[in-house]
Amino acid sequence: MDIDFNRNEDSNKQLVYDLNTRLKRIYKGGGDKSIARQKEKGKLLARERVSLLCDADKPFLEIGAFAADGMYEQEGGCPAAGVVCGIGYISGRQCMIVANDATVKAGAWFPMTAKKNLRAQEIAMENRLPVIYLVDSAGVYLPMQDEIFPDKEHFGRMFRNNAIMSAEGIVQIAAIMGSCVAGGAYLPIMSDEAMIVEGTGSVFLAGSYLVRSAIGEDVDNETLGGATTHCEISGVTDYKHPDDQSCLESIRNIISKLGAPAQAGFDRTLPRPPKLDQKEIYGILPEDRDKSYDMRELITRLTDDSEFEEYKKLYGQSILCGLARIDGWAVGIVANQRKVVKSKKGEMQFGGVIYSDSADKAARFIMNCNQKKIPLVFLHDVTGFMVGSRSEQGGIIKDGAKMVNAVANSVVPKFTFIIGNSYGAGNYAMCGKAYDPRLIFAWPSAKIAVMGGAQAAKTLLQIQQAGQKSRGEENDAAQEAATLKAITDRYNSQTTPYYAASRMWVDGVIDPLETRKIISMGVEAANQSPITRRFNPGIIQT
C-alpha cells in the first residue's frame, strides 16, 4: 500500500472517530442531571425504552441523530431534537419507532422536533411500516410556537398523518409513558391503540394549572388524565401497565400477532459479503476532496462478492451505472466517477462532472431499473453538470433534464449516499433530498452546497468588487484576501455533513462501513410496500 492510501486511511478513520465522539455526546440527551431526574421518577430513558422494545439480535437504524445539533443554543440546545427515531425490529417485524426524550426540555417540541417526527412518519408511510410512539413530552416549546404551530409542515401535520395512516391500514400503537398534554394529546389517541403507564403517564388537553386558570376548578393531574381515569372512566386508553418494562413487552406481544405485510417483490438471494475488504474504503477515498479516484474501487467493496455488472461501461464514463447485489438484494447503482478519463476523441473528462452522454446513460439506466422493478442506489461525488459554450451547444440542459425527469418519476425505491461532493444541480440529478429518496445518508467526508467553498467565495467576491467599482471604490490586495477568507470560511461551515444532518437535509451521518446494512434494511422496508404507480419515461425517450 502506498503513502497516499495510508494518508487517506488515517484521515477517514479520524473522521469516523470524530463522528462517534459527536454521537456519544448526543446520546447523553439533556445531560446527567436530567437523566437522574428521569430515573428518580422510575422511568426508563428514551434510548433504554427503544433498546428494550427492539429485538436484541437485530440492528436499529437511527434517523436524525444529529437533528438540531448546533441549533437553539440560546435555548440551551436540543440534542437529537429531543426525540429518538428509527427503524427497528420488534418481534421480527420492521417498525418505525418514535420516542420522546424527556431529558431534553421535558420532551418539548422545537421546530426541528416537528420536522424530525414528520420525516419518521414519511418513511413509515412510504414503506407501510407499523409506527410505535413512546410518548413523554411537555408539548410545544412555547417561546418558539410561531415556528412550530400553524404552517403546513408544522405540528398539526403529524395528526393529519395519524389519520391518513390509520385509514390506509398502517398500524400505529402509542404508549403514554410520561406527560402528554394539549395538542400533543391527539397523537396517541389518533393511533389505533393506546396504552398508559400507571403513576407516570398522563394525557389531557389542559393541565391542572391551566384548568384552574381557565375555569377555576382545583384538580390534580392524575385525576385529570392519569391511568385510572383513562382506563376505567373515560375509556380513552386501551391498556394500563404498572411500569415501562411491562408496557414495552405488551407492544412486542401485539406486534408479534400482526398479519404478514404484502410484498413489492424485490429480488433477494443468499447474502454474501464483498470479496474485497470493506475497510479499504478508508484508504481509497482521498483526503483531498478534489482528488481523482476510481469509484469502482468503492462500489466493489460494498457489493456481494465484489461483483458489479456495468451498463454502457465505455460510454458516458463520468457516471457509472450497473447492477449488483447488496446483502442479497438486487440493486441498480448510479455513481459519479471521480477518475479522470479520456474521451473517445482523446479529450480529458473531469472527474465528478456530469456530461451530456453521462446524463443520457443514467436516465436510460434508471428507466431500465424501473421496468425491471430493481431498487436504485445513488452514490454522490458530483461537482455539477459540465458548463461552457461547447456543453451548452451540445444540449447539456436537455440531457440533464432527461436525467432529472427519470429520477423524479422513478417508482422503485431510491437510496442516496453522499460520499464526497454534492453540488448544485448534480445533487438533484443524483436523487438529493428533494427527489424523495426512501433514505438519504452522508459519509463524514460529504460536502453539500450549491458549489464548492472556494468557487462560491470567488464568485461572491467578484460580485462585491463589481459593486465597489461601480461606486468608484477600490480594495487593496490585503482587504480582498481577508474578505475572500471570511467568505470561504463561512461558506465551508455550511457545507459539512453535520450542518446538513442538523437540518434534516440528510437522515444522518454514518461510518462508510454501515452503508451495506442501511441499504439492506431500506430495501427490506420498501419491500413491504407494493408499487402501485407506473413509470412514465416522458422526455427520456426523445
Side-chain angles (χ1 to χ4, degrees):
M1 294 185 183
D2 59 24
I3 191 169
D4 285 339
F5 185 99
N6 292 334
R7 185 182 296 113
N8 295 339
E9 185 178 46
D10 289 344
S11 175
N12 285 306
K13 284 186 174 180
Q14 182 61 49
L15 289 176
V16 172
Y17 175 82
D18 292 342
L19 164 64
N20 291 329
T21 300
R22 289 170 181 259
L23 285 172
K24 285 178 182 178
R25 172 177 53 81
I26 286 170
Y27 292 163
K28 295 280 285 184
D32 292 334
K33 289 183 179 179
S34 295
I35 290 172
R37 285 195 294 270
Q38 184 89 337
K39 293 291 189 180
E40 286 170 6
K41 297 175 182 177
K43 297 160 68 176
L44 295 172
L45 305 177
R47 292 183 184 278
E48 291 176 336
R49 289 168 175 166
V50 172
S51 180
L52 275 177
L53 181 62
C54 292
D55 298 346
D57 61 341
K58 295 288 185 68
F60 176 71
L61 176 55
E62 185 161 1
I63 302 296
F66 287 102
D69 188 41
M71 301 172 69
Y72 313 127
E73 294 302 318
Q74 291 183 337
E75 311 295 331
C78 188
V83 62
V84 180
C85 299
I87 300 173
Y89 294 83
I90 302 174
S91 299
R93 181 74 170 263
Q94 274 189 334
C95 298
M96 174 57 72
I97 302 166
V98 179
N100 297 114
D101 185 351
T103 71
V104 179
K105 298 289 186 183
W109 286 66
F110 283 70
M112 284 306 302
T113 314
K115 187 170 185 177
K116 182 172 176 177
N117 274 264
L118 290 174
R119 175 58 176 155
Q121 288 184 322
E122 178 184 35
I123 292 171
M125 293 167 77
E126 287 178 330
N127 299 292
R128 299 192 62 82
L129 298 179
V131 187
I132 312 300
Y133 303 104
L134 305 181
V135 185
D136 195 346
S137 172
V140 169
Y141 185 66
L142 291 177
M144 305 185 78
Q145 65 85 27
D146 62 319
E147 298 179 46
I148 186 175
F149 173 67
D151 210 347
K152 180 178 179 180
E153 298 296 332
H154 283 180
F155 194 56
R157 186 76 170 184
M158 186 173 57
F159 312 133
R160 171 262 191 194
N161 289 347
N162 284 145
I164 287 177
M165 282 191 279
S166 183
E168 292 183 355
I170 299 172
V171 173
Q172 299 172 89
I173 300 172
I176 302 164
M177 311 180 85
S179 297
C180 184
V181 301
Y186 287 104
L187 185 145
I189 311 309
M190 291 187 73
S191 299
D192 301 300
E193 292 182 285
M195 51 190 68
I196 188 167
V197 177
E198 194 171 12
T200 57
S202 60
V203 54
F204 35 66
L205 293 180
S208 56
Y209 293 118
L210 183 54
V211 167
R212 189 178 300 117
S213 173
I215 65 173
E217 181 182 1
D218 192 6
V219 61
D220 62 84
N221 285 339
E222 184 65 24
T223 303
L224 264 177
T228 298
T229 294
H230 287 310
C231 283
E232 299 180 22
I233 301 173
S234 72
V236 166
T237 51
D238 307 306
Y239 306 90
K240 179 168 71 171
H241 297 289
D243 52 40
D244 284 3
Q245 289 87 342
S246 60
C247 181
L248 297 169
E249 186 58 33
S250 177
I251 296 172
R252 290 183 55 82
N253 288 336
I254 293 171
I255 294 296
S256 72
K257 295 173 177 61
L258 295 185
Q263 299 287 301
F266 303 130
D267 186 67
R268 192 181 197 188
T269 59
L270 183 69
R272 298 181 184 276
K275 286 182 179 178
L276 300 174
D277 187 356
Q278 282 191 82
K279 293 180 181 178
E280 290 178 354
I281 288 173
Y282 297 137
I284 295 167
L285 188 66
E287 176 186 18
D288 182 352
R289 296 304 321 121
D290 295 323
K291 193 170 182 180
S292 171
Y293 68 94
D294 191 348
M295 178 63 82
R296 292 184 185 90
E297 295 296 321
L298 296 186
I299 292 173
T300 52
R301 283 161 177 80
L302 295 173
T303 60
D304 290 13
D305 281 330
S306 296
E307 293 179 349
F308 179 52
E309 186 177 348
E310 199 163 339
Y311 173 78
K312 290 184 181 288
K313 183 175 181 178
L314 301 178
Y315 177 75
Q317 295 183 59
S318 70
I319 287 184
L320 304 180
C321 298
L323 301 176
R325 290 191 182 274
I326 293 179
D327 200 36
W329 293 105
V331 297
I333 296 175
V334 181
N336 303 112
Q337 173 62 297
R338 287 304 304 264
K339 183 179 180 181
V340 176
V341 297
K342 282 189 177 181
S343 72
K344 191 174 180 180
K345 298 178 181 178
E347 301 158 334
M348 299 303 288
Q349 291 200 341
F350 299 103
V353 177
I354 301 176
Y355 291 78
S356 284
D357 54 0
S358 301
D360 177 71
K361 168 175 128 177
R364 294 179 186 280
F365 177 73
I366 291 167
M367 179 175 67
N368 290 346
C369 286
N370 273 269
Q371 289 175 333
K372 297 169 183 173
K373 203 158 69 172
I374 299 175
L376 287 160
V377 174
F378 293 83
L379 304 177
H380 285 222
D381 198 345
V382 59
T383 52
F385 285 89
M386 190 60 189
V387 296
S389 60
R390 184 168 182 173
S391 293
E392 298 293 358
Q393 292 166 12
I396 185 66
I397 295 176
K398 176 186 67 177
D399 292 317
K402 288 181 182 180
M403 184 175 175
V404 171
N405 180 286
V407 172
N409 282 303
S410 178
V411 298
V412 296
K414 300 165 290 192
F415 304 92
T416 298
F417 295 86
I418 301 174
I419 290 173
N421 301 326
S422 185
Y423 294 157
N427 172 279
Y428 300 160
M430 290 295 293
C431 193
K433 184 65 180 291
Y435 289 81
D436 299 321
R438 296 291 179 97
L439 296 171
I440 176 169
F441 283 87
W443 289 8
S445 48
K447 288 190 176 296
I448 306 167
V450 172
M451 63 180 74
Q455 299 96 315
K458 289 176 183 177
T459 302
L460 292 170
L461 182 62
Q462 289 172 8
I463 294 170
Q464 182 175 309
Q465 289 171 334
Q468 290 172 330
K469 187 175 181 180
S470 68
R471 296 190 299 270
E473 303 171 3
E474 287 189 11
N475 267 350
D476 59 33
Q479 287 177 314
E480 289 183 0
T483 301
L484 184 64
K485 183 179 184 305
I487 295 173
T488 303
D489 290 346
R490 183 178 71 251
Y491 199 89
N492 283 340
S493 71
Q494 297 175 353
T495 66
T496 71
Y498 299 105
Y499 190 91
S502 70
R503 288 151 181 81
M504 293 294 295
W505 301 344
V506 296
D507 293 321
V509 184
I510 60 165
D511 183 334
L513 302 187
E514 292 186 281
T515 305
R516 275 175 55 88
K517 176 194 80 175
I518 292 172
I519 293 171
S520 179
M521 287 185 69
V523 178
E524 182 182 351
N527 199 40
Q528 299 179 55
S529 180
I531 297 172
T532 57
R533 293 191 299 117
R534 179 178 175 272
F535 178 76
N536 187 346
I539 65 170
I540 300 169
Q541 293 182 331
T542 63

